[in-house]
Amino acid sequence: MDSLSQPLDRVTEAVEHFVRTPSLRCLYITTSQMLRLVVLETVTRGELLEVNTTPFFVLEAPTEPGDDGFSLRSDELRLDWRLLAESDPEQRMKPLWPEEEARAPLARFGLELGRAIGQLMPPMTGLTIVLAPVWVTDAVAFRAGLETLLRQRGLSRVRFIVVETDTRHALALRDDAELSRAIEHVAAEMDESLLEAEARARLEAMKSAPTSARGLRRAGAAGPDVPPPRRIREPTPLSPEAAQAEASALGIPAAYLQPELLHELQVFVMSAALAAREKNYPEAVRLQREARDRADQLQLFREALIYELVLGGYLLQGGSAERALEIFGNAERRAEAQNLLDQRIQAIMASAATLVLLRRIDEAALRYAEAGSLGEHLKPPVLAIEAFRMCGQLAAGRGHLEQAATAFRRALAAAEASPGIGALTSAPEAARELAALCRKHGLLAQAQSLEAQAESLETQPIEAQGDLEEADPTPAAPARPHTPTDEER
């Protein structure tokens, strides 16, 4: 798809030019949240270029009001350095240096960078710091910190690649005459009109695919409208009656053995998704409801439940929060009746997120706590960790500190019960939020212990990779946790 390949091609070209042009101090990449991770992967491949003589360090700490993120970036840098130095057979990096004493976060980060430069061995000539904050809610602090680092003469051997999802920060930097010569900006956003055109073309191709089409042609790709000649030993396609009989023997819905029925559902779902992308939410809701009802008719009850969760998401996007709450409630009851625990938890968390949008914060916290309690029975307990952390965050925002501390502790207990899972969840964030509560009440030893636990959770090796494949995504939950505003609190 050109809408995806074109921005990534621009990033690849810009990174290679940056590596080959020492006079550039900063490459500022702006992209969309959808492309952020794949852009990061593209950026880090620049470290493998033959002409590159700097190790890359990817630092993802966010920037928020009251926290510019540079303290956490110092910790990220030190951790990554230690891991790289220990695993480098060519010994191009000396061991980790002693930690800088407590200073202002930005000053400490600058000093850590200076110490890191002194620990490099030939042929390494400097550092490339990839600043890729997961979010920036204080643009002024983020931009000011980067400007300060770029102006430090002692950090001339440190170069920066920024991966950010807001173009305003980059444009403000380029307005500075002194810095503009050393900064290059590349836009890696998707062409929305091209993406929509590609999606619509694929959908039309899917709709026009005859029932005899197979494989990629049925999915909307190019291909013949007629199937190839049958092979000698190829089984005869099942009639609806035969499919029903065989499905009954296997204990599965008959629709699983009838590709044309599954194709019909796929067209409904794709059509609804395209309508939602075009912000035609009434049409998206209508088509998604058709998909759910058709799945029910075909006795695809698990699929119908998932479609209902997505239906609630479209209602929410369209501004019908109360109706979405009803749909999520229906999905919860469906899941409970079918004994589908993970989908039931997802429905509860979607209800809780909707309650937050409706400013019913106390109800939302209780629902997150309920989801967390149920999620403790899952393996791995990813949903429990996320639900308890959200409960704690909401409770803390309302001043219910005892409830918040309990929720954070349960999130950490769930993470500790599944070694390695913490790094893939917000468990470290829960530990740091609980540490902040402890510091607020003078419990410094407990706070330090929790901060150490957060670092440990982020670095534990994953021991149960196979279990992760069983976890389903949450269709209707927000992409990142919602922090209540002062008005909501």
Side-chain angles (χ1 to χ4, degrees):
M1 295 175 65
D2 289 341
S3 58
L4 177 61
S5 63
Q6 289 177 0
L8 296 182
D9 288 344
R10 290 196 294 272
V11 171
T12 299
E13 181 179 351
V15 170
E16 182 168 352
H17 175 66
F18 179 75
V19 170
R20 295 178 182 275
T21 312
S23 60
L24 289 174
R25 289 289 311 288
C26 179
L27 173 61
Y28 209 117
I29 302 171
T30 51
T31 186
S32 63
Q33 193 64 40
M34 182 187 301
L35 289 181
R36 179 179 174 273
L37 291 180
V38 69
V39 165
L40 267 179
E41 292 174 359
T42 304
V43 166
T44 54
R45 283 199 288 270
E47 187 175 17
L48 304 178
L49 292 171
E50 187 176 354
V51 297
N52 179 56
T53 57
T54 66
F56 281 38
F57 293 88
V58 179
L59 312 180
E60 299 187 81
T63 295
E64 302 178 297
D67 182 3
D68 59 14
F70 283 103
S71 178
L72 185 52
R73 290 184 189 110
S74 294
D75 296 336
E76 288 180 304
L77 174 65
R78 294 178 59 81
L79 174 61
D80 287 352
W81 185 283
R82 178 172 61 80
L83 295 175
L84 280 173
E86 291 174 355
S87 63
D88 183 9
E90 300 180 24
Q91 296 185 334
R92 293 168 297 180
M93 302 162 64
K94 295 179 184 179
L96 185 65
W97 57 93
E99 184 174 355
E100 289 292 340
E101 297 181 2
R103 298 172 184 266
L106 180 58
R108 179 198 165 196
F109 183 67
L111 289 170
E112 297 282 11
L113 289 176
R115 296 290 296 274
I117 293 171
Q119 298 292 97
L120 291 172
M121 301 285 286
M124 296 291 99
T125 60
L127 303 175
T128 296
I129 303 299
V130 181
L131 294 177
V134 288
W135 63 80
V136 173
T137 54
D138 189 340
V140 174
F142 180 72
R143 184 172 63 247
L146 179 57
E147 287 180 359
T148 299
L149 293 170
L150 288 170
R151 294 180 191 279
Q152 296 301 308
R153 294 181 180 178
L155 299 181
S156 61
R157 293 166 61 191
V158 181
R159 307 175 75 200
F160 297 89
I161 299 179
V162 181
V163 177
E164 224 277 290
T165 56
D166 190 338
T167 60
R168 292 172 299 175
H169 310 167
L171 296 176
L173 281 170
R174 294 174 71 202
D175 288 340
D176 188 303
E178 181 181 347
L179 291 178
S180 62
R181 293 187 297 275
I183 296 176
E184 183 166 305
H185 172 234
V186 59
E189 294 92 353
M190 296 180 72
D191 185 330
E192 295 293 330
S193 60
L194 180 58
L195 178 63
E196 290 178 9
E198 291 172 343
R200 184 162 294 284
R202 181 185 174 192
L203 179 59
E204 292 303 320
M206 288 176 62
K207 289 179 178 179
S208 65
T211 55
S212 60
R214 298 183 186 177
L216 294 177
R217 175 68 182 93
R218 190 188 292 273
D225 286 342
V226 295
R230 290 181 56 236
R231 297 179 181 273
I232 295 176
R233 294 182 178 82
E234 184 177 348
T236 304
L238 296 174
S239 66
E241 296 77 13
Q244 183 65 58
E246 186 166 339
S248 297
L250 295 173
I252 61 174
Y256 285 164
L257 302 179
Q258 296 174 280
E260 65 278 4
L261 297 180
L262 297 179
H263 178 259
E264 177 188 350
L265 278 177
Q266 189 179 22
V267 169
F268 273 128
V269 171
M270 289 284 293
S271 300
L274 182 59
R277 181 167 189 81
E278 296 173 344
K279 301 190 185 306
N280 186 356
Y281 296 114
E283 181 67 2
V285 167
R286 183 188 71 79
L287 290 165
Q288 190 67 24
R289 187 179 286 116
E290 291 265 12
R292 178 202 62 188
D293 295 345
R294 184 62 174 137
D296 273 332
Q297 292 171 5
L298 297 174
Q299 298 184 330
L300 298 172
F301 299 122
R302 189 175 187 276
E303 287 77 2
L305 171 55
I306 294 172
Y307 294 164
E308 186 146 44
L309 286 170
V310 177
L311 172 61
Y314 290 155
L315 284 167
L316 204 57
Q317 292 177 55
S320 301
E322 292 287 358
R323 289 178 62 197
L325 200 58
E326 294 176 10
I327 290 294
F328 292 140
N330 291 338
E332 180 186 349
R333 288 186 286 274
R334 275 179 183 260
E336 185 175 11
Q338 298 171 41
N339 199 29
L340 296 173
L341 182 58
D342 52 352
Q343 279 81 19
R344 181 184 175 192
I345 295 169
Q346 291 168 25
I348 295 173
M349 291 180 70
S351 295
T354 307
L355 288 167
V356 171
L357 293 177
L358 291 170
R359 301 184 180 181
R360 293 156 61 178
I361 306 300
D362 290 338
E363 293 178 64
L366 290 175
R367 295 248 69 190
Y368 275 123
E370 181 183 353
S373 297
L374 291 171
E376 289 174 319
H377 302 290
L378 293 176
K379 184 180 180 183
V382 174
L383 295 179
I385 295 168
E386 301 306 324
F388 279 133
R389 193 203 57 80
M390 278 302 303
C391 173
Q393 187 180 49
L394 293 177
R398 298 285 284 178
H400 306 317
L401 302 186
E402 185 174 346
Q403 180 187 356
T406 299
F408 289 141
R409 289 193 186 99
R410 293 184 72 176
L412 295 176
E416 293 288 358
S418 296
I421 198 65
L424 304 178
T425 68
S426 62
E429 187 176 345
R432 291 189 174 96
E433 294 193 56
L434 183 54
L437 290 179
C438 289
R439 285 190 182 280
K440 186 176 181 179
H441 290 81
L443 304 174
L444 301 184
Q446 291 92 326
Q448 291 173 351
S449 175
L450 286 162
E451 288 163 353
Q453 184 179 8
E455 183 173 340
S456 173
L457 287 168
E458 289 173 333
T459 57
Q460 281 179 350
I462 299 174
E463 298 181 3
Q465 186 68 35
D467 293 338
L468 300 181
E469 298 175 359
E470 301 173 6
D472 288 330
T474 308
R480 61 165 283 218
H482 171 79
T483 303
T485 64
D486 291 338
E487 185 179 357
E488 290 171 350
R489 290 171 181 162

